[in-house]
Structures are given as C-alpha cells and as structure tokens.
Amino acid sequence: MTTTAIQTRTTRATFFALLAFILCFVLVVYTLTHEAGHAIVGMLFGQTLTVLKVNFMTLSAHVGLLDELTQTQHAWQSIAGVALPLAIWLIFISCVPRRSILIVEMLKCIVTVAVLSTLLAWIVLPVLYRLGQAPSDDVSNFLDYSGMEPLLLSFVALVIYIAGWRLFLSRIQGVRSEIALFSTTDQAVIHAGLRSSLPMLVGILIAASLLIITLSNTLNPLAPPQGFQPVAQLDLASRAHTGETLWQFALDQPAEVGIYAAVQLIDTTYFDLRLTGSDGFDAVILHGEEYTADQDRALWSRVLPSGQYQLVATAHQTPGKISIYLKAG
C-alpha cells in the first residue's frame, strides 16, 4: 500500500470519527435541551424540580416536576420541549458564518436536521389526533390543554418547518458546496480549526455531564413543593394505626389547602390517609391495598370551607415510612 493510500485512509477515518462525535454531541445536547425546556417552564410557573434522569445508552432523559399547573401553563410546558432547542438553533444558525471550517459545517448541518425533524411530529400527529389515533406525547398534551384546532397546529408547524429550511439554505454557500466539502480527502481541510473548536465541544459535553451528575445526586424526588411544611411522619414498622389523628387544623375562612405525602419502602396490605372535617367532609389523600413501592408520592389540593379538619391514618404494621406535609392559605 502506498504512502498516499495510507494517508487517504487515515484522513477518511478522521473524518468519520469527527462525524460520529458531532452526531453524539447533537443528540446528547438536544435531549438535554428538550427536557430543560419542560423543566424551565415548569419552574417559572412555580413547580419544583425533583428528578433528573439521563440514559446515555438510549439518549433519553426525564425530569420530574411537582406542583399543580393551570391548563394554559400545562400547554406552554408541553410545547417548551420542542421550542427551546428550536430557539437555540435559531440563534446558532443566525450567528455562524455562511462558510466555515469542516467541523462547524458538520455541526450546522446535523443540528439543523435534528432540530427541524422534530417538527415533523407536530405536523403529522395533529392529523392523527383529529382522527383519534394520536399517541400520548407532547403534541397530544398540548392539544388537550390548549384546545387548539389540530389542523391549525399542523399548519403552523409546517410553516415553521419550511421557514427553518429556507433559513438554513440561506446560511450555507449552496448544497453542492456542502456536499463537496463533506466529500473532501484533503487532510488540511479536515483538520482545520480542530485544535480550537473540538476542545470547546468536548468541554460542553463534560460540563453538561457534570451538571447532570450533580443534579441527579442532589435532587430529592420526594421533596415537597414550595410552601409545604412537615406536619407528621409515620414509621409503619413500629406499630399499626387505626383511625389515628396525625394533625388537625382550623380554617377561619375558606382557603386552599394542599396535602403532600411522601412514601418510602412501603410494603403493606392496607394503608389509608384521609382528611376529615366539619359537616361530614371526607376526602381520600392516599389509599392502597397490597401496596408496595420503593418511592411514591401523593399531592392533594382543594379550596376548603371554614371549619375544623383532621388528617387521619389507618395502616397495618408493615415496613415503610410516610412523611406528610401541609400547605394552607
């Protein structure tokens, strides 16, 4: 094999390694920004972030948010997952030059395909939603909460999709030019700018990974929403409870009352937590038979009339702990 052939193979191997890295970078960053969109909107509306899980093997992520939202707020949260990556892409594609080094052009093309392709779901699924055949996802949730006409949403998404591709085409020096660049075997072209740009992209991935690890270890999935105060804790292993009043309070005037129960390592044949009060008021907060869970939670909220109220628990003696929090007014 000639020296030239060896150099060509090495150059192509470098090209494909670079392409694989950019693909991984875009998929990881998109996954994070999608979930971040949901989380940011939820926290802006007063929700508490309790869980952040990322599976790097499947490039999937999940955030847990606690507290109630209105229908409109739920609609905004549903659409934020696609909106935040789209907004970041818009800023990026508008700022980079029309022609740059290979690694930037790779990033430009791959991130455009990744972000704009997500709009296809918002084009197609509203049609299926109208036919009653759409899966449960962000699109269906948005339509449920917003009440928007599905075909209108599909049309808006199509307009954004077409506009996005038109913007992308205006930010490159032609499709043929991009294809020619990606077909290059010129070692100088492939290695151009790697010393400055590649460490920056690696740094972003490392910083994102450290943030995920930090949040995963510090977030408490059973943490109560803001404004809730601890009022009782049950150690079910110590004894059985039969109609036991854990906490009582009085309302001088109608007020919104919230009750949050956090469950750990429970394995019981029977558990019942309810709120009782004046004029025969009786509401179930958490009930389970043959109830087993490593972690669980229940959030109950309602505007209650003035009067006396009691939190009452009945439970068999069994492994498990339950912490109860209350918010009134």
Side-chain angles (χ1 to χ4, degrees):
M1 185 179 293
T2 65
T3 302
T4 302
I6 294 174
Q7 290 178 341
T8 300
R9 282 194 172 188
T10 303
T11 300
R12 298 310 292 174
T14 303
F15 174 88
F16 285 114
L18 188 59
L19 180 63
F21 171 77
I22 295 298
L23 280 169
C24 180
F25 177 86
V26 170
L27 290 174
V28 169
V29 172
Y30 178 84
T31 301
L32 294 179
T33 53
H34 178 93
E35 295 300 330
H38 294 311
I40 290 170
V41 169
M43 289 187 289
L44 287 175
F45 289 137
Q47 286 190 305
T48 300
L49 179 64
T50 59
V51 176
L52 175 62
K53 294 182 179 179
V54 177
N55 187 331
F56 288 106
M57 297 300 294
T58 60
L59 293 176
S60 61
H62 167 70
V63 293
L65 294 155
L66 192 61
D67 221 337
E68 294 298 317
L69 297 180
T70 65
Q71 293 281 105
T72 301
Q73 290 170 343
H74 270 300
W76 280 110
Q77 188 177 57
S78 298
I79 206 171
V82 70
L84 181 60
L86 186 62
I88 294 173
W89 169 82
L90 180 61
I91 295 171
F92 168 74
I93 205 70
S94 300
C95 292
V96 293
R98 294 183 68 234
R99 186 67 165 187
S100 186
I101 56 177
L102 177 64
I103 189 172
V104 174
E105 292 301 311
M106 279 185 174
L107 184 59
K108 188 192 299 185
C109 293
I110 293 173
V111 75
T112 297
V113 172
V115 171
L116 294 185
S117 293
T118 61
L119 291 171
L120 294 175
W122 293 80
I123 296 170
V124 176
L125 292 184
V127 178
L128 297 179
Y129 181 92
R130 209 169 193 275
L131 298 173
Q133 298 178 356
S136 177
D137 69 344
D138 288 343
V139 179
S140 298
N141 290 337
F142 175 77
L143 290 169
D144 286 339
Y145 291 123
S146 68
M148 186 177 184
E149 164 57 43
L151 296 184
L152 176 59
L153 176 61
S154 184
F155 174 75
V156 171
L158 178 61
V159 170
I160 296 173
Y161 180 77
I162 294 172
W165 280 112
R166 287 179 62 87
L167 175 60
F168 168 74
L169 292 174
S170 71
R171 301 301 301 167
I172 62 174
Q173 289 186 342
V175 174
R176 289 184 179 180
S177 177
E178 291 294 296
I179 293 174
L181 178 63
F182 292 160
S183 302
T184 185
T185 57
D186 188 328
Q187 188 174 4
V189 172
I190 292 175
H191 287 84
L194 286 185
R195 289 187 177 182
S196 57
S197 55
L198 190 58
M200 181 179 65
L201 296 180
V202 172
I204 292 174
L205 280 182
I206 293 174
S209 300
L210 291 175
L211 177 62
I212 291 166
I213 293 170
T214 302
L215 289 176
S216 298
N217 291 331
T218 57
L219 291 174
N220 180 4
L222 297 179
Q226 293 181 357
F228 281 71
Q229 301 299 322
V231 295
Q233 187 170 46
L234 289 177
D235 183 356
L236 302 181
S238 62
R239 60 184 176 86
H241 302 266
T242 304
E244 181 176 335
T245 298
L246 304 177
W247 188 259
Q248 53 188 351
F249 60 94
L251 296 178
D252 297 330
Q253 57 185 8
E256 183 175 1
V257 173
I259 299 170
Y260 174 77
V263 180
Q264 291 179 289
L265 302 174
I266 192 170
D267 184 6
T268 181
T269 54
Y270 186 89
F271 177 81
D272 185 82
L273 176 67
R274 61 184 59 236
L275 182 67
T276 63
S278 308
D279 300 324
F281 179 86
D282 190 1
V284 175
I285 307 302
L286 179 62
H287 180 87
E289 298 180 30
E290 304 300 334
Y291 179 26
T292 301
D294 291 336
Q295 292 183 337
D296 199 5
R297 59 193 184 187
L299 179 62
W300 180 93
S301 180
R302 188 178 301 178
V303 176
L304 299 178
S306 58
Q308 297 283 335
Y309 295 92
Q310 302 83 34
L311 273 171
V312 180
T314 298
H316 294 170
Q317 186 173 4
T318 177
K321 293 183 179 180
I322 299 178
S323 301
I324 302 168
Y325 304 81
L326 182 104
K327 179 182 180 181

Coordinates of all heavy atoms in Angstrom, one line a residue, residues 234-292:
L234 N -44.9 9.0 59.8 CA -45.3 7.7 60.3 C -44.2 6.6 60.0 O -43.8 6.5 58.9 CB -46.6 7.2 59.6 CG -47.9 7.9 59.9 CD1 -49.0 7.3 59.1 CD2 -48.2 7.7 61.4
D235 N -43.8 5.9 61.0 CA -43.0 4.8 60.9 C -43.9 3.5 61.0 O -44.2 3.1 62.1 CB -41.9 4.8 61.9 CG -40.9 3.6 61.8 OD1 -41.1 2.8 60.8 OD2 -39.9 3.5 62.5
L236 N -44.3 3.0 59.9 CA -45.2 1.9 59.9 C -44.7 0.6 60.5 O -45.5 -0.3 60.9 CB -45.7 1.6 58.5 CG -46.4 2.8 57.7 CD1 -46.8 2.4 56.3 CD2 -47.5 3.4 58.5
A237 N -43.4 0.5 60.6 CA -42.8 -0.7 61.2 C -43.0 -0.7 62.7 O -42.9 -1.8 63.3 CB -41.3 -0.8 60.8
S238 N -43.2 0.4 63.3 CA -43.3 0.4 64.8 C -44.5 -0.1 65.3 O -44.5 -0.8 66.3 CB -43.1 1.9 65.3 OG -44.2 2.7 64.8
R239 N -45.7 0.1 64.7 CA -47.0 -0.4 65.2 C -48.0 -0.1 64.1 O -47.8 0.6 63.1 CB -47.4 0.3 66.5 CG -47.5 1.9 66.3 CD -47.8 2.5 67.7 NE -47.8 4.0 67.6 CZ -48.9 4.7 67.2 NH1 -50.0 4.0 66.9 NH2 -48.8 6.0 67.1
A240 N -49.2 -0.7 64.3 CA -50.4 -0.5 63.5 C -51.0 0.8 63.9 O -50.9 1.3 65.0 CB -51.3 -1.6 63.6
H241 N -51.8 1.4 62.9 CA -52.5 2.7 63.2 C -54.0 2.4 62.8 O -54.2 2.0 61.7 CB -51.9 3.8 62.4 CG -50.5 4.1 62.7 ND1 -50.0 5.0 63.6 CD2 -49.4 3.5 62.2 CE1 -48.7 5.0 63.6 NE2 -48.3 4.1 62.8
T242 N -54.9 2.8 63.7 CA -56.3 2.6 63.4 C -57.1 3.9 63.6 O -57.3 4.3 64.8 CB -56.9 1.5 64.2 OG1 -56.2 0.3 64.0 CG2 -58.4 1.3 63.9
G243 N -57.4 4.6 62.6 CA -58.2 5.9 62.7 C -57.5 6.9 63.6 O -58.1 7.6 64.3
E244 N -56.1 7.0 63.4 CA -55.3 7.8 64.3 C -55.2 9.2 63.7 O -54.9 9.4 62.5 CB -53.9 7.2 64.4 CG -53.0 8.1 65.3 CD -51.7 7.4 65.5 OE1 -51.6 6.1 65.4 OE2 -50.7 8.1 65.8
T245 N -55.5 10.2 64.5 CA -55.4 11.6 64.1 C -53.9 12.1 64.1 O -53.3 12.1 65.2 CB -56.3 12.6 64.9 OG1 -57.6 12.2 64.8 CG2 -56.1 14.0 64.5
L246 N -53.4 12.4 62.9 CA -52.0 12.8 62.9 C -51.8 14.3 63.0 O -50.8 14.7 63.5 CB -51.4 12.3 61.5 CG -51.5 10.9 61.1 CD1 -51.0 10.6 59.8 CD2 -50.8 10.0 62.2
W247 N -52.8 15.0 62.5 CA -52.7 16.5 62.6 C -54.1 17.1 62.5 O -54.9 16.5 61.8 CB -51.8 17.0 61.4 CG -51.5 18.5 61.5 CD1 -52.0 19.5 60.8 CD2 -50.5 19.1 62.3 NE1 -51.5 20.7 61.1 CE2 -50.5 20.5 62.1 CE3 -49.6 18.6 63.3 CZ2 -49.7 21.4 62.7 CZ3 -48.7 19.5 63.9 CH2 -48.8 20.9 63.6
Q248 N -54.3 18.2 63.1 CA -55.6 18.9 63.0 C -55.4 20.4 62.9 O -54.4 20.9 63.4 CB -56.5 18.5 64.1 CG -56.0 18.8 65.5 CD -56.9 18.2 66.6 OE1 -58.0 17.8 66.3 NE2 -56.5 18.2 67.8
F249 N -56.3 21.0 62.1 CA -56.1 22.5 61.9 C -57.5 23.1 61.7 O -58.5 22.3 61.4 CB -55.2 22.8 60.7 CG -55.7 22.2 59.4 CD1 -56.5 23.0 58.6 CD2 -55.4 20.9 59.1 CE1 -56.9 22.5 57.4 CE2 -55.9 20.4 57.9 CZ -56.6 21.2 57.0
A250 N -57.6 24.4 61.9 CA -58.9 25.1 61.7 C -58.7 26.2 60.7 O -57.7 26.8 60.6 CB -59.3 25.7 63.1
L251 N -59.8 26.4 59.9 CA -59.8 27.5 58.9 C -60.9 28.5 59.4 O -62.1 28.1 59.5 CB -60.1 26.9 57.5 CG -59.1 26.0 56.9 CD1 -59.6 25.5 55.5 CD2 -57.8 26.7 56.7
D252 N -60.5 29.7 59.5 CA -61.5 30.7 59.9 C -62.3 31.2 58.7 O -63.4 31.7 58.9 CB -60.8 31.9 60.5 CG -60.0 31.6 61.8 OD1 -60.6 30.7 62.5 OD2 -59.0 32.2 62.1
Q253 N -61.7 31.0 57.5 CA -62.4 31.4 56.3 C -62.0 30.4 55.2 O -61.0 29.7 55.3 CB -62.1 32.8 55.9 CG -60.6 33.1 55.7 CD -60.2 34.5 55.5 OE1 -61.1 35.4 55.6 NE2 -59.0 34.8 55.2
P254 N -62.7 30.3 54.1 CA -62.4 29.4 53.0 C -60.9 29.7 52.5 O -60.5 30.8 52.4 CB -63.4 29.7 51.9 CG -64.6 30.3 52.6 CD -64.0 31.0 53.8
A255 N -60.2 28.6 52.3 CA -58.8 28.7 51.9 C -58.4 27.5 51.1 O -59.0 26.4 51.3 CB -57.9 28.9 53.1
E256 N -57.4 27.6 50.2 CA -56.9 26.5 49.5 C -55.9 25.7 50.4 O -55.0 26.3 51.0 CB -56.1 26.9 48.2 CG -55.6 25.7 47.4 CD -55.0 26.2 46.1 OE1 -54.9 27.4 45.8 OE2 -54.6 25.3 45.4
V257 N -56.1 24.4 50.5 CA -55.3 23.6 51.4 C -54.7 22.5 50.5 O -55.3 21.9 49.6 CB -56.1 22.9 52.5 CG1 -55.3 21.9 53.2 CG2 -56.7 23.9 53.4
G258 N -53.4 22.3 50.7 CA -52.6 21.3 50.0 C -52.0 20.3 50.9 O -51.5 20.7 52.0
I259 N -52.1 19.0 50.6 CA -51.5 17.9 51.4 C -50.6 17.1 50.5 O -51.0 16.7 49.4 CB -52.6 17.1 52.1 CG1 -53.5 17.9 53.0 CG2 -51.9 15.9 52.9 CD1 -54.7 17.2 53.5
Y260 N -49.4 16.9 51.0 CA -48.4 16.1 50.2 C -47.9 15.0 51.1 O -47.5 15.2 52.2 CB -47.3 17.0 49.8 CG -46.1 16.3 49.1 CD1 -46.3 15.9 47.8 CD2 -44.9 16.0 49.7 CE1 -45.2 15.2 47.1 CE2 -43.9 15.3 49.1 CZ -44.1 14.9 47.8 OH -43.1 14.3 47.1
A261 N -48.0 13.8 50.5 CA -47.5 12.6 51.3 C -46.3 11.9 50.5 O -46.5 11.6 49.3 CB -48.6 11.6 51.5
A262 N -45.2 11.7 51.1 CA -44.0 11.1 50.5 C -43.8 9.7 51.2 O -43.7 9.6 52.4 CB -42.8 12.0 50.7
V263 N -43.8 8.7 50.3 CA -43.7 7.3 50.8 C -42.4 6.7 50.5 O -41.9 6.9 49.3 CB -44.9 6.5 50.1 CG1 -44.8 5.0 50.6 CG2 -46.2 7.1 50.4
Q264 N -41.8 5.9 51.4 CA -40.5 5.3 51.2 C -40.6 3.8 51.7 O -41.1 3.5 52.8 CB -39.4 6.0 52.0 CG -39.0 7.3 51.4 CD -37.9 8.0 52.2 OE1 -38.1 8.4 53.3 NE2 -36.7 8.1 51.6
L265 N -40.2 2.9 50.8 CA -40.0 1.5 51.1 C -41.2 0.9 51.8 O -41.1 0.2 52.8 CB -38.8 1.3 52.0 CG -37.5 1.8 51.4 CD1 -36.3 1.8 52.4 CD2 -37.1 1.1 50.2
I266 N -42.4 1.1 51.3 CA -43.6 0.6 51.9 C -44.0 -0.8 51.2 O -43.8 -1.0 50.1 CB -44.8 1.6 51.7 CG1 -46.0 1.2 52.5 CG2 -45.2 1.7 50.2 CD1 -47.1 2.2 52.6
D267 N -44.5 -1.7 52.1 CA -44.9 -3.0 51.7 C -46.0 -3.4 52.6 O -45.8 -4.1 53.6 CB -43.8 -4.0 51.7 CG -44.2 -5.3 51.1 OD1 -45.4 -5.5 50.6 OD2 -43.4 -6.3 51.2
T268 N -47.3 -3.0 52.3 CA -48.4 -3.2 53.3 C -49.6 -3.8 52.6 O -49.8 -3.7 51.4 CB -48.7 -1.9 53.9 OG1 -49.8 -2.1 54.9 CG2 -49.2 -0.9 52.9
T269 N -50.4 -4.5 53.4 CA -51.7 -5.0 52.9 C -52.8 -3.9 52.9 O -53.7 -4.1 52.2 CB -52.1 -6.2 53.8 OG1 -52.1 -5.8 55.2 CG2 -51.1 -7.4 53.6
Y270 N -52.6 -2.9 53.8 CA -53.6 -1.8 53.8 C -53.0 -0.5 54.3 O -52.3 -0.5 55.3 CB -54.8 -2.3 54.7 CG -55.9 -1.3 54.7 CD1 -56.9 -1.4 53.8 CD2 -56.0 -0.2 55.6 CE1 -58.0 -0.6 53.7 CE2 -57.0 0.7 55.6 CZ -58.0 0.5 54.6 OH -59.1 1.4 54.6
F271 N -53.3 0.5 53.6 CA -52.9 1.9 54.1 C -54.0 2.9 53.6 O -54.5 2.8 52.5 CB -51.6 2.3 53.5 CG -51.2 3.7 54.0 CD1 -50.7 4.0 55.2 CD2 -51.4 4.8 53.1 CE1 -50.4 5.3 55.6 CE2 -51.1 6.1 53.5 CZ -50.6 6.3 54.8
D272 N -54.4 3.8 54.5 CA -55.4 4.8 54.2 C -55.1 6.1 54.9 O -54.9 6.1 56.1 CB -56.8 4.3 54.6 CG -57.9 5.3 54.1 OD1 -58.2 5.2 52.9 OD2 -58.3 6.1 54.9
L273 N -54.9 7.2 54.1 CA -54.7 8.5 54.7 C -55.8 9.4 54.1 O -56.0 9.5 52.9 CB -53.4 9.1 54.3 CG -53.1 10.5 54.7 CD1 -53.0 10.6 56.2 CD2 -51.8 11.0 54.1
R274 N -56.6 10.0 55.0 CA -57.7 10.8 54.6 C -57.8 12.1 55.4 O -57.3 12.2 56.5 CB -59.0 10.1 54.6 CG -59.5 9.5 55.9 CD -60.8 8.7 55.8 NE -60.6 7.6 54.9 CZ -61.3 7.4 53.8 NH1 -62.3 8.2 53.5 NH2 -61.1 6.3 53.0
L275 N -58.5 13.1 54.8 CA -58.8 14.3 55.5 C -60.3 14.4 55.9 O -61.1 14.3 55.0 CB -58.4 15.5 54.6 CG -58.6 16.9 55.3 CD1 -57.7 17.1 56.4 CD2 -58.5 18.0 54.2
T276 N -60.6 14.5 57.1 CA -62.0 14.6 57.6 C -62.2 16.0 58.2 O -61.3 16.7 58.6 CB -62.3 13.5 58.6 OG1 -61.5 13.7 59.8 CG2 -62.1 12.1 58.1
G277 N -63.5 16.4 58.2 CA -63.8 17.7 58.7 C -65.2 17.9 59.1 O -66.0 17.0 59.1
S278 N -65.6 19.2 59.2 CA -66.9 19.6 59.6 C -67.9 19.2 58.5 O -67.6 19.1 57.4 CB -67.0 21.1 59.8 OG -66.0 21.5 60.7
D279 N -69.2 19.0 59.0 CA -70.3 18.7 58.1 C -70.1 17.4 57.3 O -70.5 17.4 56.1 CB -70.6 19.9 57.2 CG -71.0 21.2 57.9 OD1 -71.6 21.0 59.0 OD2 -70.6 22.2 57.5
G280 N -69.4 16.5 57.9 CA -69.2 15.2 57.2 C -68.2 15.2 56.1 O -68.2 14.2 55.3
F281 N -67.3 16.2 56.0 CA -66.3 16.2 55.0 C -65.4 15.1 55.1 O -64.9 14.7 56.2 CB -65.5 17.6 55.0 CG -64.5 17.7 54.0 CD1 -64.8 18.1 52.7 CD2 -63.2 17.2 54.2 CE1 -63.8 18.2 51.7 CE2 -62.2 17.3 53.3 CZ -62.5 17.8 52.0
D282 N -65.1 14.4 54.0 CA -64.2 13.2 54.0 C -63.6 13.1 52.6 O -64.3 12.9 51.6 CB -65.0 12.0 54.3 CG -64.1 10.8 54.5 OD1 -62.9 10.9 54.5 OD2 -64.6 9.7 54.8
A283 N -62.2 13.2 52.5 CA -61.5 13.1 51.3 C -60.3 12.2 51.4 O -59.6 12.3 52.4 CB -61.0 14.5 50.8
V284 N -60.2 11.3 50.5 CA -59.0 10.3 50.5 C -57.8 11.0 49.9 O -57.8 11.6 48.8 CB -59.4 9.1 49.6 CG1 -58.1 8.2 49.6 CG2 -60.5 8.3 50.2
I285 N -56.7 11.0 50.7 CA -55.4 11.6 50.2 C -54.6 10.5 49.6 O -54.0 10.7 48.5 CB -54.7 12.2 51.4 CG1 -55.6 13.2 52.2 CG2 -53.4 12.9 50.9 CD1 -56.1 14.3 51.3
L286 N -54.5 9.4 50.2 CA -53.7 8.2 49.7 C -54.3 6.9 50.2 O -54.5 6.8 51.4 CB -52.2 8.4 50.1 CG -51.3 7.3 49.6 CD1 -51.2 7.2 48.1 CD2 -49.9 7.5 50.2
H287 N -54.5 6.0 49.4 CA -55.1 4.7 49.8 C -54.5 3.6 49.0 O -54.3 3.7 47.8 CB -56.6 4.7 49.5 CG -57.3 3.4 49.9 ND1 -57.7 3.2 51.2 CD2 -57.5 2.3 49.2 CE1 -58.2 2.0 51.3 NE2 -58.1 1.4 50.1
G288 N -54.1 2.5 49.7 CA -53.5 1.4 49.0 C -53.8 0.1 49.7 O -53.8 0.0 50.9
E289 N -54.1 -1.0 48.9 CA -54.2 -2.3 49.4 C -53.2 -3.2 48.6 O -53.2 -3.1 47.4 CB -55.6 -2.8 49.3 CG -56.6 -2.0 50.1 CD -58.1 -2.5 50.0 OE1 -58.3 -3.7 49.8 OE2 -59.0 -1.6 50.0
E290 N -52.5 -4.1 49.4 CA -51.4 -4.8 48.8 C -50.5 -3.8 48.1 O -50.1 -3.9 46.9 CB -51.9 -5.8 47.8 CG -52.8 -6.8 48.3 CD -52.2 -7.7 49.5 OE1 -51.0 -7.8 49.5 OE2 -53.0 -8.1 50.4
Y291 N -50.1 -2.8 48.9 CA -49.4 -1.6 48.4 C -47.9 -1.7 48.6 O -47.4 -1.8 49.7 CB -50.0 -0.4 49.1 CG -49.4 1.0 48.8 CD1 -48.8 1.2 47.6 CD2 -49.4 2.0 49.7 CE1 -48.3 2.5 47.3 CE2 -48.9 3.3 49.4 CZ -48.3 3.5 48.2 OH -47.8 4.7 47.9
T292 N -47.1 -1.8 47.5 CA -45.7 -1.9 47.6 C -45.0 -0.9 46.7 O -45.4 -0.7 45.5 CB -45.3 -3.3 47.1 OG1 -45.9 -4.3 47.9 CG2 -43.7 -3.5 47.2

